[in-house]
Amino acid sequence: MLSFIFIVLFALPAVLGLYFNIGQQFAEAGASLTTDAYVRFALPIAAPLLPAVAIVIGYAAIAREGERGSLKILLSLPYTRGELLAGKFVGRSAITLIPVTVGFLTTLLVLLPSEIEIAWESFLLFALATMAYGVVFTAFAIGLSAALKTARRAMAASLGIYVYLQVFWSNLGAGLGNLLSDHANIGEVTQLHVELFVSLLSPIAAYRTLVQEILQGSPIRSRLLLTSNPQVTCEEMLGGTLEVTQAGAECTNAALPPQYGTVAVIGYLLLWLVVPLVAGYYVFENKDL
């Protein structure tokens, strides 16, 4: 069932591009008719749906075992709680990764006979980023499952935080920047720093900007998409010059601070894997079953 879901999720955009000429719309907008057009079409589908599926896979990993009483049986065996949590993480991550891989392989089977050129580097990087994204949300749900007493609470907490990240987090950075501007008298450049940094702390925004970076070949262009004022961000915050080209806005001669670089953004994304697992382990290790 999961394999079918991910085949539809990842292969459907390719089919639409082939038979309904959707990819040509991206080509006319400045993107060459390669698999980059497919990635542009698939990104808005994968970014919201994959976390929801990963949460469903992970939320009951430990909490449901506790409800059924099987957790005590498992812990009566020569396993520590940390080993049990690690095993659940590896197993549920595999359940997420296998159908995602099947979905991407099916997409390749659809694209290979077509006239669409396969940009192997960007396609494979998109696949790897998407797999990591799925594992991050699987770990996030497992951490909550370890920390909370019932599967229902783990499900509610996981989906509640996911909805907040998906719907409201994008406004948090701008809102916080405006608040500091009104009450702490910070300048516009500092306000944009706050907006961009807070935005990148969202795993959804981090994933999206990394994929945009893969497509555009520029971390600066992809980060500008996260700010409310790209011109001020480019010229005053990054010290560059904003030039409008046929392919879009280009910030030339700019220097991207390390906290907004590729390595930092990958780190922000992985924080959503490490922190929930560590916090979940700490609570799980110290709670009575």
Side-chain angles (χ1 to χ4, degrees):
M1 182 61 182
L2 279 175
S3 293
F4 174 76
I5 291 173
F6 284 112
I7 287 172
V8 172
L9 179 63
F10 293 115
L12 182 61
V15 173
L16 290 175
L18 284 171
Y19 297 105
F20 295 93
N21 208 31
I22 293 197
Q24 189 63 36
Q25 297 176 12
F26 292 104
E28 292 171 357
S32 58
L33 194 53
T34 68
T35 46
D36 286 356
Y38 157 77
V39 173
R40 292 176 192 275
F41 192 75
L43 176 59
I45 301 173
L49 292 184
L50 182 54
V53 175
I55 286 171
V56 171
I57 291 171
Y59 82 94
I62 292 177
R64 184 64 54 80
E65 299 276 10
E67 289 178 314
R68 293 173 176 172
S70 55
L71 190 57
K72 291 183 179 179
I73 298 174
L74 287 172
L75 291 175
S76 68
L77 300 172
Y79 302 119
T80 66
R81 297 191 186 196
E83 290 171 340
L84 178 62
L85 180 60
K88 291 290 187 180
F89 168 65
V90 172
R92 297 302 170 107
S93 295
I95 293 173
T96 302
L97 287 175
I98 290 172
V100 170
T101 304
V102 170
F104 276 114
L105 290 176
T106 305
T107 300
L108 280 177
L109 291 177
V110 172
L111 291 173
L112 281 172
S114 73
E115 296 180 356
I116 297 177
E117 178 186 353
I118 297 179
W120 286 104
E121 182 179 357
S122 59
F123 183 85
L124 291 176
L125 287 174
F126 171 61
L128 289 173
T130 303
M131 291 176 184
Y133 184 55
V135 170
V136 163
F137 271 94
T138 304
F140 164 71
I142 291 172
L144 287 174
S145 183
L148 298 175
K149 191 170 184 178
T150 67
R152 180 176 297 182
R153 291 178 185 175
M155 179 67 150
S158 298
L159 289 180
I161 295 172
Y162 161 69
V163 169
Y164 182 83
L165 289 170
Q166 181 66 40
V167 178
F168 300 108
W169 189 283
S170 59
N171 297 318
L172 179 62
L176 184 58
N178 289 332
L179 184 67
L180 291 173
S181 177
D182 293 339
H183 297 283
N185 199 31
I186 65 171
E188 186 175 12
V189 172
T190 305
Q191 186 176 343
L192 288 170
H193 272 291
V194 172
E195 179 183 356
L196 180 56
F197 181 74
V198 172
S199 296
L200 288 172
L201 292 179
S202 163
I204 298 173
Y207 167 69
R208 283 179 175 272
T209 195
L210 287 171
V211 175
Q212 290 291 346
E213 181 179 339
I214 292 168
L215 291 172
Q216 300 184 32
S218 168
I220 293 177
R221 288 183 64 182
S222 63
R223 305 301 183 267
L224 288 179
L225 297 174
L226 296 174
T227 65
S228 57
N229 194 329
Q231 182 172 0
V232 175
T233 301
C234 172
E235 296 178 355
E236 297 188 31
M237 186 172 122
L238 304 180
T241 303
L242 191 68
E243 299 177 357
V244 180
T245 65
Q246 189 175 6
E250 183 75 38
C251 185
T252 59
N253 302 317
L256 193 67
Q259 66 267 29
Y260 308 133
T262 305
V263 174
V265 176
I266 293 173
Y268 302 148
L269 179 61
L270 293 180
L271 278 176
W272 287 86
L273 183 154
V274 175
V275 173
L277 284 179
V278 172
Y281 166 72
Y282 177 80
V283 175
F284 182 47
E285 182 69 21
N286 291 282
K287 74 177 179 180
D288 295 327
L289 299 180

PDB file of all heavy atoms in Angstrom, residues 74-87:
ATOM      1  N   LEU A  74       9.059  -7.071  25.759  1.00  0.00           N
ATOM      2  CA  LEU A  74      10.265  -6.752  24.991  1.00  0.00           C
ATOM      3  C   LEU A  74      11.419  -6.369  25.905  1.00  0.00           C
ATOM      4  O   LEU A  74      12.567  -6.772  25.692  1.00  0.00           O
ATOM      5  CB  LEU A  74       9.975  -5.616  24.008  1.00  0.00           C
ATOM      6  CG  LEU A  74       9.125  -5.948  22.787  1.00  0.00           C
ATOM      7  CD1 LEU A  74       8.764  -4.681  22.029  1.00  0.00           C
ATOM      8  CD2 LEU A  74       9.862  -6.920  21.867  1.00  0.00           C
ATOM      9  N   LEU A  75      11.097  -5.581  26.946  1.00  0.00           N
ATOM     10  CA  LEU A  75      12.151  -5.118  27.847  1.00  0.00           C
ATOM     11  C   LEU A  75      12.584  -6.191  28.834  1.00  0.00           C
ATOM     12  O   LEU A  75      13.587  -6.022  29.534  1.00  0.00           O
ATOM     13  CB  LEU A  75      11.676  -3.871  28.591  1.00  0.00           C
ATOM     14  CG  LEU A  75      11.511  -2.616  27.722  1.00  0.00           C
ATOM     15  CD1 LEU A  75      10.919  -1.476  28.515  1.00  0.00           C
ATOM     16  CD2 LEU A  75      12.841  -2.204  27.095  1.00  0.00           C
ATOM     17  N   SER A  76      11.825  -7.286  28.907  1.00  0.00           N
ATOM     18  CA  SER A  76      12.273  -8.411  29.741  1.00  0.00           C
ATOM     19  C   SER A  76      13.368  -9.208  29.041  1.00  0.00           C
ATOM     20  O   SER A  76      14.075 -10.001  29.667  1.00  0.00           O
ATOM     21  CB  SER A  76      11.091  -9.329  30.062  1.00  0.00           C
ATOM     22  OG  SER A  76      10.629 -10.000  28.894  1.00  0.00           O
ATOM     23  N   LEU A  77      13.496  -8.989  27.730  1.00  0.00           N
ATOM     24  CA  LEU A  77      14.576  -9.608  26.962  1.00  0.00           C
ATOM     25  C   LEU A  77      15.854  -8.796  27.177  1.00  0.00           C
ATOM     26  O   LEU A  77      15.808  -7.675  27.691  1.00  0.00           O
ATOM     27  CB  LEU A  77      14.196  -9.651  25.480  1.00  0.00           C
ATOM     28  CG  LEU A  77      12.920 -10.450  25.155  1.00  0.00           C
ATOM     29  CD1 LEU A  77      12.528 -10.267  23.700  1.00  0.00           C
ATOM     30  CD2 LEU A  77      13.106 -11.928  25.479  1.00  0.00           C
ATOM     31  N   PRO A  78      16.992  -9.318  26.773  1.00  0.00           N
ATOM     32  CA  PRO A  78      18.258  -8.589  27.042  1.00  0.00           C
ATOM     33  C   PRO A  78      18.464  -7.393  26.110  1.00  0.00           C
ATOM     34  O   PRO A  78      19.426  -7.318  25.352  1.00  0.00           O
ATOM     35  CB  PRO A  78      19.330  -9.662  26.810  1.00  0.00           C
ATOM     36  CG  PRO A  78      18.715 -10.610  25.854  1.00  0.00           C
ATOM     37  CD  PRO A  78      17.252 -10.647  26.180  1.00  0.00           C
ATOM     38  N   TYR A  79      17.498  -6.452  26.141  1.00  0.00           N
ATOM     39  CA  TYR A  79      17.602  -5.208  25.381  1.00  0.00           C
ATOM     40  C   TYR A  79      17.420  -4.036  26.332  1.00  0.00           C
ATOM     41  O   TYR A  79      16.565  -4.079  27.223  1.00  0.00           O
ATOM     42  CB  TYR A  79      16.523  -5.126  24.284  1.00  0.00           C
ATOM     43  CG  TYR A  79      16.547  -6.245  23.282  1.00  0.00           C
ATOM     44  CD1 TYR A  79      15.455  -7.096  23.135  1.00  0.00           C
ATOM     45  CD2 TYR A  79      17.653  -6.443  22.467  1.00  0.00           C
ATOM     46  CE1 TYR A  79      15.467  -8.123  22.212  1.00  0.00           C
ATOM     47  CE2 TYR A  79      17.683  -7.472  21.544  1.00  0.00           C
ATOM     48  CZ  TYR A  79      16.585  -8.312  21.421  1.00  0.00           C
ATOM     49  OH  TYR A  79      16.610  -9.321  20.506  1.00  0.00           O
ATOM     50  N   THR A  80      18.197  -2.995  26.124  1.00  0.00           N
ATOM     51  CA  THR A  80      17.988  -1.757  26.881  1.00  0.00           C
ATOM     52  C   THR A  80      16.923  -0.922  26.171  1.00  0.00           C
ATOM     53  O   THR A  80      16.562  -1.176  25.017  1.00  0.00           O
ATOM     54  CB  THR A  80      19.281  -0.946  26.969  1.00  0.00           C
ATOM     55  OG1 THR A  80      19.647  -0.490  25.648  1.00  0.00           O
ATOM     56  CG2 THR A  80      20.417  -1.774  27.544  1.00  0.00           C
ATOM     57  N   ARG A  81      16.422   0.066  26.872  1.00  0.00           N
ATOM     58  CA  ARG A  81      15.420   0.944  26.256  1.00  0.00           C
ATOM     59  C   ARG A  81      16.021   1.719  25.091  1.00  0.00           C
ATOM     60  O   ARG A  81      15.342   1.977  24.086  1.00  0.00           O
ATOM     61  CB  ARG A  81      14.849   1.896  27.302  1.00  0.00           C
ATOM     62  CG  ARG A  81      14.105   1.173  28.421  1.00  0.00           C
ATOM     63  CD  ARG A  81      13.325   2.125  29.294  1.00  0.00           C
ATOM     64  NE  ARG A  81      12.747   1.421  30.442  1.00  0.00           N
ATOM     65  CZ  ARG A  81      11.782   1.890  31.222  1.00  0.00           C
ATOM     66  NH1 ARG A  81      11.298   3.110  30.981  1.00  0.00           N
ATOM     67  NH2 ARG A  81      11.317   1.202  32.243  1.00  0.00           N
ATOM     68  N   GLY A  82      17.298   2.086  25.217  1.00  0.00           N
ATOM     69  CA  GLY A  82      17.961   2.772  24.117  1.00  0.00           C
ATOM     70  C   GLY A  82      18.074   1.896  22.889  1.00  0.00           C
ATOM     71  O   GLY A  82      17.869   2.356  21.753  1.00  0.00           O
ATOM     72  N   GLU A  83      18.390   0.625  23.074  1.00  0.00           N
ATOM     73  CA  GLU A  83      18.480  -0.310  21.946  1.00  0.00           C
ATOM     74  C   GLU A  83      17.118  -0.519  21.306  1.00  0.00           C
ATOM     75  O   GLU A  83      17.008  -0.629  20.082  1.00  0.00           O
ATOM     76  CB  GLU A  83      19.066  -1.638  22.424  1.00  0.00           C
ATOM     77  CG  GLU A  83      20.543  -1.557  22.792  1.00  0.00           C
ATOM     78  CD  GLU A  83      21.035  -2.820  23.470  1.00  0.00           C
ATOM     79  OE1 GLU A  83      20.205  -3.590  23.997  1.00  0.00           O
ATOM     80  OE2 GLU A  83      22.269  -3.033  23.482  1.00  0.00           O
ATOM     81  N   LEU A  84      16.085  -0.580  22.137  1.00  0.00           N
ATOM     82  CA  LEU A  84      14.736  -0.733  21.595  1.00  0.00           C
ATOM     83  C   LEU A  84      14.348   0.479  20.750  1.00  0.00           C
ATOM     84  O   LEU A  84      13.813   0.334  19.639  1.00  0.00           O
ATOM     85  CB  LEU A  84      13.736  -0.914  22.736  1.00  0.00           C
ATOM     86  CG  LEU A  84      12.263  -1.031  22.338  1.00  0.00           C
ATOM     87  CD1 LEU A  84      12.029  -2.253  21.470  1.00  0.00           C
ATOM     88  CD2 LEU A  84      11.377  -1.076  23.573  1.00  0.00           C
ATOM     89  N   LEU A  85      14.642   1.673  21.265  1.00  0.00           N
ATOM     90  CA  LEU A  85      14.333   2.899  20.524  1.00  0.00           C
ATOM     91  C   LEU A  85      15.114   2.948  19.211  1.00  0.00           C
ATOM     92  O   LEU A  85      14.562   3.288  18.157  1.00  0.00           O
ATOM     93  CB  LEU A  85      14.656   4.118  21.378  1.00  0.00           C
ATOM     94  CG  LEU A  85      14.392   5.494  20.753  1.00  0.00           C
ATOM     95  CD1 LEU A  85      12.926   5.654  20.395  1.00  0.00           C
ATOM     96  CD2 LEU A  85      14.823   6.610  21.705  1.00  0.00           C
ATOM     97  N   ALA A  86      16.403   2.584  19.267  1.00  0.00           N
ATOM     98  CA  ALA A  86      17.222   2.577  18.048  1.00  0.00           C
ATOM     99  C   ALA A  86      16.682   1.582  17.037  1.00  0.00           C
ATOM    100  O   ALA A  86      16.627   1.859  15.829  1.00  0.00           O
ATOM    101  CB  ALA A  86      18.673   2.256  18.403  1.00  0.00           C
ATOM    102  N   GLY A  87      16.268   0.410  17.510  1.00  0.00           N
ATOM    103  CA  GLY A  87      15.713  -0.596  16.606  1.00  0.00           C
ATOM    104  C   GLY A  87      14.428  -0.130  15.952  1.00  0.00           C
ATOM    105  O   GLY A  87      14.210  -0.353  14.743  1.00  0.00           O
TER     106      GLY A  87
END
